[in-house]
Each structure stands twice: as C-alpha cells, then as structure tokens.
Amino acid sequence: MSIKNNLSQVLHSLPNNVTLVAVSKTKPISDIEEAYETGQRVFGENKIQEMAQKWELLPKDIQWHMIGHVQRNKVKYMAEFVSLIHGVDSLKLLKEIDKQAKKHNRIIDCLLQIHIAEEQTKFGLNNEELDELISSPEFQQLKNIKVTGLMGMATFTDDNAQIQKEFKQLKKLFEKTKATIPEICILSMGMSGDYKLAIEEGSTMVRIGSSIFGARNYG
Ligand SMILES: *Cc1c(COP(=O)(O)O)cnc(C)c1O
C-alpha cells in the first residue's frame, strides 16, 4: 500500500468535522511530500528539532503540530512557525510558550493535555490540576497563547471498553471546560489503533501515523 492510498482510506473514514493530523515523526521528507501532494496540510511531530528541520525544507503552507512532550528550553525552536501544541501540561510551560510567541509577535494555539490513561508514564493534568490552571490569574494574563482545546491518550490496551471509558471521561471534561473558556473547540483524541472509537466518543481531531506512513522503525 502506498502513502497516498492509506491516506485516502483514512480520510474516507473520517466525518467532515474531524481534522486529520498526519503523524510523520521519524519519517523522511519524501514521505511527507507524498502526503502533501495528495492534499494533506496538517502534520504532527513529537520532537521539536526534527519538526524544525522539516519545516525548513518543506512548503510553508504546512501546518505543523507538536504532539509530543515539550521541553521548555526547546520552545524557542518552534515558536516562529508551530501551528498547534497538543501536549501542554503546566502553567510553567504555557508561560514559556507565551514568552517565545511574543518575540515573534504571534499568538500560539495550545491544547491542554489531560491524563486519562492508567499508565503512570503518560503525561498530562488531572481534573484538579486543570481546574487550578485555568482559574489562576497568571493564566488569564497570558496574551500570546490561546488554549483552544484538550488532548488525551488512552491506555495502550486492546480492551475497547477501557479505552471507551477513558475517551468518555475526556469528552465530559471537554464539555465542562468549554463552559469556562469559550475558545475551547478542539478535542484531540485517537491514534491509528483507536481513532474510530475516539470519533464515536466525540473527538474532533485525530493523530494518525502508522496507518498512513507504515510502522515506524526506531533503529
Ligand atoms: C506517535 C503518536 C501518534 C500516532 O501514533 P500511531 O499509532 O502511529 O497512529 C499519536 N499521538 C501521539 C501523541 C504520538 O506520539
């Protein structure tokens, strides 16, 4: 199967209101070009420097999404061009993004990452930490970031009931947060293995890598 065929199959399975982030991490420029030629414009990466290198080499109408864990000292490498940062999970990080965005005279859109999985290793805020963050005066003063939604990753399991439970929990929190922050409109949940379930539970943005580009090889 070619990238082009995979991409069109994935796109056909998505409702119109769901945005596809094509996750191109570890994949070469030529793979991204192939997806670009078929019309895909939104790509996701999980390493800031890799994303910045690809941004330099590829057409400038690509929207680059940072989907991985963000180290504060690297925000400066993407502040000029990043279109959406999915994995924001602290006020400290938001403040750094705000500071770097200001240098470029931009407002950077961010999603707050929520911890929904059972694994301890996955990053994200719990419900109380989310409440605390969005109600803090410091957060409300940040002018160069805009929180436009929530993001979450389900437990890595083939127990669909478990995954569904976690997505439902995130959707509920999303609706609740919308009531406080009117700009909230994006719910980023679902990857190759669970995006159909995520869409059933209300996802508006799916992050799909291996179903489009094939398995990754971390040599
Ligand atoms: C790698 C990654 C994806 C894509 O995973 P696939 O299973 O290849 O679709 C989605 N979200 C995040 C946060 C990732 O790091």
Side-chain angles (χ1 to χ4, degrees):
M1 281 295 270
S2 67
I3 291 171
K4 192 176 169 176
N5 288 340
N6 291 342
L7 188 57
S8 78
Q9 253 186 19
V10 168
L11 284 169
H12 275 113
S13 68
L14 301 183
N16 287 333
N17 65 321
V18 174
T19 303
L20 171 64
V21 180
V23 176
S24 50
K25 63 190 187 195
T26 77
K27 297 295 176 181
I29 294 289
S30 56
D31 283 9
I32 301 176
E33 281 170 338
E34 190 175 337
Y36 181 89
E37 278 157 23
T38 74
Q40 182 65 25
R41 291 295 179 271
V42 184
F43 291 89
E45 291 283 335
N46 73 337
K47 295 218 163 62
I48 294 174
Q49 272 137 320
E50 182 178 338
M51 182 172 76
Q53 282 166 3
K54 288 172 172 173
W55 166 70
E56 280 183 15
L57 296 168
L58 283 156
K60 291 297 173 281
D61 62 340
I62 289 179
Q63 294 164 40
W64 291 102
H65 287 202
M66 174 42 55
I67 62 168
H69 183 67
V70 177
Q71 285 172 275
R72 261 180 292 142
N73 60 349
K74 291 187 180 161
V75 172
K76 56 178 176 280
Y77 302 120
M78 65 173 168
E80 182 182 349
F81 69 90
V82 68
S83 148
L84 182 65
I85 303 176
H86 289 235
V88 178
D89 64 358
S90 73
L91 181 60
K92 258 182 159 174
L93 176 56
L94 269 178
K95 283 162 77 174
E96 176 63 16
I97 298 168
D98 184 76
K99 180 176 144 194
Q100 298 298 336
K102 201 170 191 162
K103 289 186 187 166
H104 296 280
N105 208 7
R106 299 186 61 208
I107 294 172
I108 296 181
D109 289 353
C110 297
L111 306 181
L112 296 175
Q113 184 170 355
I114 308 300
H115 184 104
I116 53 172
E118 288 192 322
E119 295 114 334
Q120 288 303 314
T121 52
K122 290 200 174 131
F123 297 99
L125 302 158
N126 63 33
N127 295 15
E128 293 74 45
E129 289 164 336
L130 173 68
D131 268 348
E132 199 177 308
L133 196 163
I134 61 181
S135 57
S136 78
E138 267 190 297
F139 168 68
Q140 285 153 13
Q141 279 160 15
L142 302 176
K143 296 287 181 269
N144 291 76
I145 54 104
K146 187 162 95 185
V147 170
T148 56
L150 302 183
M151 177 269 209
M153 286 170 87
T155 303
F156 187 72
T157 172
D158 43 25
D159 179 356
N160 280 350
Q162 174 70 27
I163 297 171
Q164 190 178 34
K165 189 181 92 188
E166 292 168 1
F167 285 155
K168 270 190 202 302
Q169 185 191 325
L170 183 55
K171 164 73 169 170
K172 204 172 145 194
L173 194 59
F174 172 69
E175 293 301 335
K176 187 176 159 227
T177 313
K178 250 183 177 174
T180 323
I181 310 179
E183 294 91 353
I184 294 266
C185 58
I186 298 172
L187 181 54
S188 168
M189 61 182 196
M191 319 184 7
S192 291
D194 58 18
Y195 76 93
K196 287 179 183 158
L197 211 49
I199 289 167
E200 281 171 25
E201 298 307 327
S203 170
T204 71
M205 187 173 273
V206 290
R207 310 174 308 270
I208 300 181
S210 41
S211 293
I212 297 171
F213 297 106
R216 283 176 296 274
N217 180 1
Y218 295 97

